[in-house]
Amino acid sequence: NGNNNQEQPQDPLALIAANLNTESLSNGLASALTPWEDLINDSTDGWGLTYADLSPETESTPLGVGFLATNIAYALTGLLLTVQGDVFYGCVTELAGVVSFWYHYSQLKHGQLNSQPVKLALMVDYMTAGAALMCTGFYLLTFPQGFGQIPVEALIAGFGGLTSLGLCWVWEMGYPYLILHSLWHLLSAYAGYTVGQAHIAAFT
C-alpha cells in the first residue's frame, strides 16, 4: 500500500526536543553567568557557591522526592496570588519555585561537592529567590497604613523560615539540611502568600 510508505507529519515540539543540545545550552548559560560567579566567589571567599552534600539521598529516594515536593508550596502560592489578581508577584513566586526545584534536583542528582551543574543552578536560584524576597520586602514597606497592615502570621512564618534557612548553613549536611530547608520552603511560601493577600486587599 503506497499510503503506508508516506512519511507521517512530525510534531514540531518533538523535533525541537530531539535536536535540543542541553549540554550546549548549559555551557552557554554557565559562560554568561561567569561574572556573577566571580562576584559571588570574591564577595564570600568562595563560600557562597558551596552547598550541602545530601548523599545517600538522591532525586529518586523517598526523602529526596519528599524534599523536592516541598517546592510545590511556591507553585501553589504563585497560582493563588495570580488568580487573585497579583500576576507579577504570583509569577515571580512561580519562577522562584521552578528554579528552586531545578537546583535541589541537581543537588540530589549529582551529589558530590563542587559540581558545576549544581553551582549553575544555585547561581540562578540566588537570582530568582532574591527577586521574590525583594518583591516581598517592597510590599512590606509600601502598605498604605504602615507596618500595622502586615499580617501577624506573615511575620511568624517569615521569622521561622529565615531561622530555618540560617540553620541550614550551620547543619549543611544530610538529614538536618533536608528537614530545615523543607521548612524554609513551606514557611517562606506561606509568608509570601499572606503578604501578597494583604497587599491585594490594601490596594483593591
Side-chain angles (χ1 to χ4, degrees):
N1 190 330
N3 290 334
N4 291 336
N5 295 326
Q6 292 180 355
E7 291 187 5
Q8 296 297 317
Q10 292 185 325
D11 183 355
L13 292 178
L15 283 172
I16 293 172
N19 291 282
L20 189 62
N21 189 332
T22 54
E23 183 178 355
S24 177
L25 286 173
S26 178
N27 290 339
L29 182 58
S31 177
L33 291 177
T34 296
W36 175 235
E37 179 179 5
D38 292 340
L39 176 63
I40 295 173
N41 282 328
D42 292 343
S43 301
T44 64
D45 197 25
W47 170 82
L49 291 178
T50 60
Y51 55 88
D53 181 356
L54 301 181
S55 59
E57 302 304 323
T58 70
E59 77 281 6
S60 59
T61 60
L63 278 178
V65 171
F67 174 50
L68 291 173
T70 60
N71 288 290
I72 294 173
Y74 294 123
L76 183 59
T77 293
L79 175 63
L80 290 173
L81 291 176
T82 299
V83 169
Q84 292 172 21
D86 194 338
V87 177
F88 178 75
Y89 193 29
C91 288
V92 168
T93 305
E94 289 274 3
L95 180 60
V98 169
V99 175
S100 175
F101 181 91
W102 170 35
Y103 163 51
H104 294 302
Y105 182 90
S106 301
Q107 186 182 22
L108 285 161
K109 180 179 177 64
H110 295 285
Q112 73 274 15
L113 298 179
N114 205 33
S115 166
Q116 191 58 38
V118 184
K119 290 169 67 177
L120 174 61
L122 176 57
M123 283 189 285
V124 181
D125 184 59
Y126 278 148
M127 291 188 285
T128 54
L133 287 170
M134 284 190 290
C135 187
T136 303
F138 176 77
Y139 278 15
L140 292 174
L141 293 172
T142 55
F143 280 111
Q145 298 177 25
F147 293 125
Q149 284 186 283
I150 300 174
V152 174
E153 57 266 37
L155 297 175
I156 294 172
F159 177 78
L162 289 172
T163 300
S164 299
L165 180 63
L167 291 174
C168 286
W169 284 307
V170 177
W171 291 292
E172 198 172 15
M173 67 196 83
Y175 299 134
Y177 178 94
L178 287 169
I179 294 169
L180 290 166
H181 211 85
S182 292
L183 287 173
W184 157 246
H185 289 164
L186 298 173
L187 291 171
S188 62
Y190 180 69
Y193 175 67
T194 54
V195 169
Q197 267 199 321
H199 192 263
I200 292 170
F203 288 93
T204 55

